[in-house]
Amino acid sequence: MTSFNSRYQRQVILPEVGEDGQIKIENSKVLVIGAGGLGCPILQYLVAAGIGTIGIIDFDVVDISNLHRQILYGKSSVGINKAIAARDRLKDLNPEINIIAYPEKLTTKNAISIFTQFDIIVDGTDNFSTRYLVNDACVITKKPLVYGAIFKFEGQVSVFNYKNGPTYRCLFPEPPKAGSVPSCAEIGVLGVLPGIIGSMQANEVLKIILNLGDVLNGKLFTYDCLTTQSSAYGVPQDASQISKVLEAAGDFETTDYDLFCGIKQVRDVMAKDAFQIENAQFIDVREAHEQPKIDNLNPLYIPLSELLEELHTIKKDKQVIVFCQSGIRSRKALEILEENGFDKISHITGGAIALYNHVADKADHKKSY
């Protein structure tokens, strides 16, 4: 573009932006995940600023209860998919840019292919399993992640995976216990708060594009809308967390983030997923002579025939994962555990053989580099 119309005049006349800056904005591609409380202000300000390509992914539909904080929508939007409703409303705000709607759920199957089409990823989600999924996909695709979260009267903003900086897992290596953090639907939120936090996320996106100011890289900004107090905390990089994501990149598409976050308890666990479950208690119900032993697992050895007598050695407050040689005896072990008051229980599909093969495949994969 050789000249700009009056639409962008107020930001183009800023010496720190200028025409070169506006060209950078128009050449940028930004994906916004979630078109809800945070996504609405993020989208409105980025579209107004002239981001050349905006992606919106959301599988939810607009509900009347959304309108007190998701002010991009009106009554006429109720019942319409949010990605589509947002795109249609935003086209009126700025018809000069490209807006792509993805009216679908973000999953491990589509995340990588979608993320590779954009320069910056903005997280406007409201649940932990999607946040970990988004983080890992950003690490794998090497995309900066602009993060925001809200809770009642408080909000957080940060920028992860920016110029090899810390990631979401560096700040939160493990998800909170399932059910310990209520959602907005359960506990409520002041309507203006997502507007404040979402606007700050949009600001971070523009700072990244324009290389302006001090990007919230390695810092977590917090804001309390009741006291109008804010703080910034350092986020140290944890190289082991980043390495863990990269080493598991080959298994990303089949990783179950709901399982990782404890949102669902399943009876059958794939061998590769068993290693992703934090602080799990593994029980090997094979006989002592059976092979192979599994490296890096360190299970509690209790033969099935002795399980009833040894129940006192198993902790009920942990996720218990049972395995045998091929997966048959472990199913019987699940029945015994359930009958005796254990509810966080599952067994490994394919048993020790599947575990061993997974470990061997990972070792061969590392050797190939």
Side-chain angles (χ1 to χ4, degrees), residues 33 57-60 81 102-111 114 127 129-130 133 258:
I33 304 169
I57 182 164
D58 201 316
F59 70 99
D60 197 10
N81 169 268
Y102 298 93
E104 58 193 273
K105 185 174 183 178
L106 183 72
T107 69
T108 56
K109 303 294 185 184
N110 61 19
I114 294 176
N127 65 86
S129 58
T130 307
L133 186 161
D258 284 346

Side-chain angles (χ1 to χ4, degrees), residues 295-307:
D295 293 337
N296 303 322
L297 199 56
N298 215 16
L300 184 62
Y301 289 97
I302 307 176
L304 181 62
S305 59
E306 302 174 14
L307 185 58

Side-chain angles (χ1 to χ4, degrees), residues 4-131:
F4 296 97
N5 59 34
S6 58
R7 175 183 294 273
Y8 308 116
Q9 182 187 14
R10 296 299 190 277
Q11 64 190 29
V12 170
I13 61 174
L14 288 168
E16 295 84 356
V17 178
E19 291 196 359
D20 289 343
Q22 190 61 40
I23 290 172
K24 289 179 182 179
I25 292 172
E26 293 195 351
N27 288 338
S28 295
K29 299 178 180 180
V30 178
L31 176 68
V32 179
I33 304 169
L38 293 172
C40 285
I42 293 166
L43 287 164
Q44 285 169 287
Y45 278 103
L46 292 183
V47 166
I51 298 291
T53 299
I54 291 277
I56 312 167
I57 182 164
D58 201 316
F59 70 99
D60 197 10
V61 299
V62 180
D63 184 81
I64 194 72
S65 64
N66 300 148
L67 301 185
H68 99 288
R69 65 196 180 282
Q70 300 175 24
I71 59 173
L72 175 60
Y73 309 118
K75 189 175 180 181
S76 62
S77 303
V78 172
I80 301 175
N81 169 268
K82 288 184 179 179
I84 293 174
R87 178 198 62 192
D88 293 346
R89 301 275 285 194
L90 292 166
K91 279 184 175 179
D92 184 56
L93 175 60
N94 191 347
E96 299 177 359
I97 68 171
N98 182 31
I99 304 175
I100 307 170
Y102 298 93
E104 58 193 273
K105 185 174 183 178
L106 183 72
T107 69
T108 56
K109 303 294 185 184
N110 61 19
I112 301 300
S113 62
I114 294 176
F115 282 25
T116 54
Q117 302 174 50
F118 295 89
D119 306 315
I120 301 170
I121 311 301
V122 190
D123 184 359
T125 62
D126 60 358
N127 65 86
F128 291 99
S129 58
T130 307
R131 286 172 186 161

Side-chain angles (χ1 to χ4, degrees), residues 94-281:
N94 191 347
E96 299 177 359
I97 68 171
N98 182 31
I99 304 175
I100 307 170
Y102 298 93
E104 58 193 273
K105 185 174 183 178
L106 183 72
T107 69
T108 56
K109 303 294 185 184
N110 61 19
I112 301 300
S113 62
I114 294 176
F115 282 25
T116 54
Q117 302 174 50
F118 295 89
D119 306 315
I120 301 170
I121 311 301
V122 190
D123 184 359
T125 62
D126 60 358
N127 65 86
F128 291 99
S129 58
T130 307
R131 286 172 186 161
Y132 281 98
L133 186 161
V134 169
N135 173 82
D136 294 356
C138 283
V139 171
I140 293 168
T141 57
K142 297 180 171 58
K143 304 294 182 179
L145 169 61
V146 179
Y147 159 80
I150 54 175
F151 182 77
K152 293 180 70 176
F153 303 103
E154 300 177 5
Q156 300 177 343
V157 183
S158 189
V159 176
F160 297 119
N161 205 45
Y162 177 66
K163 295 185 177 180
N164 299 314
T167 70
Y168 181 76
R169 283 184 183 266
C170 297
L171 179 61
F172 301 113
E174 298 180 19
K177 185 177 179 180
S180 64
V181 181
S183 68
C184 288
E186 297 169 314
I187 202 167
V189 62
L190 193 66
V192 297
L193 179 62
I196 295 168
I197 299 301
S199 297
M200 294 189 69
Q201 289 180 265
N203 186 51
E204 292 302 308
V205 171
L206 293 173
K207 284 160 63 180
I208 292 170
I209 294 170
L210 296 169
N211 194 27
L212 285 178
D214 188 8
V215 173
L216 283 172
N217 177 35
K219 288 177 286 187
L220 178 71
F221 177 88
T222 65
Y223 175 75
D224 185 323
C225 68
L226 294 185
T227 63
T228 322
Q229 290 185 335
S230 62
S231 302
Y233 304 91
V235 180
Q237 187 176 57
D238 186 341
S240 66
Q241 290 295 328
I242 300 171
S243 297
K244 186 189 299 184
V245 173
L246 293 173
E247 289 170 3
D251 295 324
F252 175 78
E253 284 196 8
T254 53
T255 298
D256 191 331
Y257 284 89
D258 284 346
L259 179 64
F260 169 69
C261 291
I263 294 172
K264 69 178 184 180
Q265 302 295 331
V266 297
R267 291 303 182 92
D268 297 322
V269 177
M270 299 297 290
K272 65 176 186 59
D273 290 327
F275 288 91
Q276 302 297 320
I277 302 174
E278 300 286 344
N279 298 317
Q281 188 174 201

